[in-house]
Amino acid sequence: MTSSNGTRPLDGIRVADFSWFGAGPIAGRTLADFGAEVIRIESEARVDGLRLGQPQKPGKSGYNVCAYFNNFNADKRSFLLNMSAEGSRDVALRLIERSDIFLSNLTPRIFERWGLTYEELCEVKPDIIAAYQPMQGLWGPHRDFLGFGAVLTPTTGISHLSGDPERRPVGVGTNYPDYAINPGHTVIAILAALRHRRRTGQGQRIELAQIESVAATMGPALMDYTVNGVNQDRKGNQSSWMSPHGIYRSADDPSGRERWIAIAVRDDAEWESLCAVAEGSSFASHDRFATLLGRRRHEDELNQAISAWTASFDAASLAIHLQSVGVPAALVQDAEDMCEHDDHLAERGFYAYLDHPETGISLYDGPIVKLHGTPGYLASPAPLFGEDTFEVATDVLGYTAEEVAELTASGVLG
């Protein structure tokens, strides 16, 4: 869906995206969804590892076919600039001078070495909005530590709380902070800085220390420790205020694929609704389960009884039935379910299918929010490696074709 005149709220905003892998590119992708021109800085000297990652379409290889990279970088332009080459800083500053936003998730020592600190950017673009996303922040004893979401989840305590109590920490199974928390906080900060600049004419430096962005999600566990002296541990799927609260095995689908259903009961009224649906089951009439305290006290027994009940049901149908009587429940979906069978996501048109030159028609996440008047949309698939170098150098930076050739021959562009 597009607005009636095709405009998007960030039309006219240019982003010099010096980030890589996840948190930075996803923030840039969100800005691109809503109209910003995002110029992704890349280099043959140090290719973004996601360009070589998985998954890749069978039979395809190279820099342009990783689904992760392509999803995170749709609607951007790829500009090859080797920051290790003499003269590259001048090109970088020329781009920043013509941009509204500078974005980087590299460690401080990298952009300090490149001469791209906020103070140096302000010399060529006084009202620049410079968003830095180093994992540990711009200062502190660990400021140059390396890592990704898989490092942040244990560092911030998420892994300690994830998994079954009798087993080792397992984390969340993905680089969760990269996909949601860090880019989301960064985009909000950039929008706030844009509003401030519109009102005052002043730019800002944004420091998004990824460790602090993620630690901010740990409030309940931190409060339990500081107020009660309780250092929470892994609880599996247990909740301190809901019971039952778990994932329960249901009947396999016709192909033999195992299926599971999530059920969460928040109060006694929902419990009574669940019991009405499960009339005749071993748990529906037991007085010991009639209150939250009783359900929590006998939770292992309750979970076993619910598992025995759900085992004969189709998970999707049972979830819909429970929802119809006010009990929160859902099929535990996998990628096939979400792409092929989720009629809700399909009806809302969340996924976009774009024609990429090397991977063909491929699935992309759509914009993560919907604005009624100026909705975001994807205008183009991810760029091929270096696809826009010449056009950015000439149209945006104002170099002549001869100057581009010289910069390429000297190793600055490329």
Side-chain angles (χ1 to χ4, degrees), residues 132-149:
Y132 297 93
Q133 294 178 301
M135 185 176 76
Q136 302 276 4
L138 296 175
W139 57 275
H142 300 163
R143 70 171 210 142
D144 287 321
F145 275 19
L146 305 175
F148 298 91

Side-chain angles (χ1 to χ4, degrees), residues 183-220:
H185 286 170
T186 301
V187 168
I188 292 170
I190 288 172
L191 295 178
L194 281 171
R195 183 175 186 273
H196 175 79
R197 190 181 72 173
R198 188 180 66 215
R199 297 178 63 191
T200 68
Q202 300 172 349
Q204 289 199 61
R205 181 186 69 188
I206 296 168
E207 180 194 10
L208 191 287
Q210 294 187 37
I211 186 172
E212 294 171 359
S213 174
V214 181
T217 68
M218 298 298 292

Side-chain angles (χ1 to χ4, degrees), residues 61-100:
S61 62
Y63 293 160
N64 302 312
V65 296
C66 173
Y68 255 149
F69 180 91
N70 288 348
N71 191 35
F72 295 167
N73 292 279
D75 225 2
K76 298 183 184 181
R77 308 175 77 180
S78 176
F79 179 65
L80 298 188
L81 177 61
N82 180 7
M83 289 301 296
S84 298
E86 185 177 354
S88 60
R89 181 173 181 268
D90 292 337
V91 178
L93 291 176
R94 192 161 175 162
L95 173 60
I96 291 164
E97 183 183 13
R98 290 159 172 79
S99 299
D100 301 281

Side-chain angles (χ1 to χ4, degrees), residues 116-198:
L116 299 181
T117 64
Y118 176 63
E119 292 73 21
E120 290 166 307
L121 302 188
C122 286
E123 292 177 4
V124 298
K125 179 71 171 177
D127 65 346
I128 191 71
I129 294 170
Y132 297 93
Q133 294 178 301
M135 185 176 76
Q136 302 276 4
L138 296 175
W139 57 275
H142 300 163
R143 70 171 210 142
D144 287 321
F145 275 19
L146 305 175
F148 298 91
V151 174
L152 280 167
T153 47
T155 301
T156 57
I158 292 176
S159 293
H160 174 75
L161 296 177
S162 301
D164 293 324
E166 70 277 5
R167 304 185 69 178
R168 64 185 181 184
V170 296
V172 295
T174 183
N175 293 329
Y176 165 62
D178 285 352
Y179 306 143
I181 304 171
N182 293 325
H185 286 170
T186 301
V187 168
I188 292 170
I190 288 172
L191 295 178
L194 281 171
R195 183 175 186 273
H196 175 79
R197 190 181 72 173
R198 188 180 66 215

Side-chain angles (χ1 to χ4, degrees), residues 9 19 98 153 166-167 186 249 264 271 323-325 389 400:
S19 64
R98 290 159 172 79
T153 47
E166 70 277 5
R167 304 185 69 178
T186 301
R249 184 72 179 269
W271 169 251
Q323 286 282 354
S324 72
V325 298
T389 302
T400 65

Side-chain angles (χ1 to χ4, degrees), residues 40-44 51 63-64 69 77-81 383-392 413-414:
R40 176 72 197 277
I41 312 306
E42 302 192 80
S43 174
E44 183 79 49
R51 276 202 177 269
Y63 293 160
N64 302 312
F69 180 91
R77 308 175 77 180
S78 176
F79 179 65
L80 298 188
L81 177 61
L384 301 178
F385 185 65
E387 176 181 357
D388 306 292
T389 302
F390 182 82
E391 288 74 14
V392 170
L413 299 182

Side-chain angles (χ1 to χ4, degrees), residues 187-270:
V187 168
I188 292 170
I190 288 172
L191 295 178
L194 281 171
R195 183 175 186 273
H196 175 79
R197 190 181 72 173
R198 188 180 66 215
R199 297 178 63 191
T200 68
Q202 300 172 349
Q204 289 199 61
R205 181 186 69 188
I206 296 168
E207 180 194 10
L208 191 287
Q210 294 187 37
I211 186 172
E212 294 171 359
S213 174
V214 181
T217 68
M218 298 298 292
L222 299 179
M223 289 292 291
D224 205 7
Y225 176 72
T226 57
V227 174
N228 302 318
V230 175
N231 192 15
Q232 291 186 7
D233 206 342
R234 291 173 296 286
K235 299 178 182 178
N237 289 317
Q238 286 183 342
S239 166
S240 61
W241 61 280
M242 290 185 281
S243 181
H245 183 276
I247 307 295
Y248 305 96
R249 184 72 179 269
S250 57
D252 293 348
D253 71 7
S255 69
R257 183 172 52 157
E258 65 179 42
R259 307 261 59 179
W260 300 79
I261 184 173
I263 300 174
V265 170
R266 297 171 292 183
D267 53 39
D268 291 345
E270 290 179 358

